[in-house]
C-alpha cells in the first residue's frame, strides 16, 4: 500500500497566496512583509521557517505564478481551433481574455524585472526560465505553421506580447491585445510565407 501524500503546508500556502496577490497588485517593493503576514494570518516566525527572506518568498511566488500562467496559457492554446497559424494568433485572444480579468495587474515577471536589479541572478534567472518555458509552448506551433525560423518568430512575437501586456496594464484596455494580434498576423505571414 502506498503512503498517503503529506498534507499541504497550509501556512506556506497562505503565505504564497497572500504574497502572490499583493506582489502582483502592489509590487514587491510596495508590499511590506507585515502586510503579507497580516493577509496570510501567520506569524513572522512562520514566514522565516518556510522562507529565509522576502527574496525567497518572491522566488517561490514567481515559480508558482509561472506554473499557473503557463498551464492556463497552454490549455487555452490547446482549445484554439484551426491550423497552427490560427492557434499562434490565439495567443492574443488569450491575452485579451486575461486583460479583462479582475486579477490582471500586468505580468508578475515584467513587474519583478522592473523593480529589481536587471542583472541580479535570482530574479533574472527566474524570469529567463519563465520565458524559455513559454517559448517551448509556442515554438512547436511556429514549426507546425511552416516557419523556417520558428525561434525567431517566437522571439518577435514575445516582443508583441510583452508590449501588449505593459500597454494593457497602463491603459486598462484590451485594445493592445487586438492591435498586437493584427501585427502578429503580418509577422507570421512574413516569417511563414
Amino acid at each position: 500500500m502506498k503512503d498517503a501524500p503529506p498534507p499541504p503546508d497550509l501556512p506556506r500556502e497562505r503565505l504564497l497566496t497572500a504574497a502572490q496577490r499583493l506582489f502582483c497588485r502592489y509590487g514587491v517593493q510596495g508590499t511590506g512583509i507585515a502586510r503579507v503576514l497580516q493577509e496570510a494570518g501567520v506569524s513572522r516566525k512562520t514566514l522565516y521557517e518556510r522562507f529565509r527572506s522576502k527574496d525567497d518568498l518572491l522566488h517561490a511566488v514567481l515559480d508558482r505564478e509561472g506554473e499557473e500562467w503557463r498551464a492556463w496559457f497552454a490549455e487555452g492554446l490547446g482549445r484554439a481551433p484551426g491550423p497552427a497559424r490560427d492557434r499562434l494568433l490565439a495567443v492574443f485572444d488569450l491575452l485579451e481574455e486575461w486583460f479583462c480579468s479582475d486579477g490582471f495587474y500586468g505580468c508578475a515577471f515584467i513587474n519583478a524585472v522592473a523593480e529589481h536589479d536587471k542583472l541580479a541572478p535570482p530574479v533574472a534567472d527566474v524570469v529567463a526560465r519563465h520565458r524559455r518555458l513559454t517559448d517551448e509552448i509556442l515554438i512547436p506551433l511556429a514549426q507546425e505553421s511552416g516557419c523556417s525560423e520558428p525561434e525567431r518568430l517566437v522571439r518577435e512575437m514575445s516582443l508583441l506580447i510583452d508590449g501588449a501586456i505593459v500597454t494593457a496594464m497602463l491603459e486598462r484596455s484590451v485594445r493592445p491585445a487586438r492591435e498586437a494580434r493584427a501585427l502578429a498576423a503580418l509577422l507570421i505571414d512574413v516569417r511563414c510565407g
Side-chain angles (χ1 to χ4, degrees), residues 79-118:
R79 282 192 330 260
R85 181 187 187 280
D86 293 348
R87 287 179 283 142
L88 277 172
L89 290 174
V91 165
F92 300 95
D93 302 333
L94 289 171
L95 291 181
E96 184 173 340
E97 178 185 318
W98 182 33
F99 297 167
C100 289
S101 71
D102 290 337
F104 175 71
Y105 299 108
C107 170
F109 296 91
I110 293 171
N111 296 346
V113 167
E115 289 190 66
H116 288 81
D117 177 353
K118 308 311 176 253

Side-chain angles (χ1 to χ4, degrees), residues 6 10 16-17 42 47 49 62 64-65 84 87 91 97 102 115 117 120 123 131-132 151 153 164 173 175 186 189 192:
L10 295 180
L16 281 171
T17 299
V42 301
L47 167 71
E49 286 173 352
L62 289 174
R64 182 163 125 172
E65 177 76 14
R87 287 179 283 142
V91 165
E97 178 185 318
D102 290 337
E115 289 190 66
D117 177 353
V123 171
R131 172 55 56 89
R132 181 179 46 77
E151 291 85 3
L153 174 63
S173 167
R175 190 177 73 226
L186 296 172
D189 288 344
C192 303

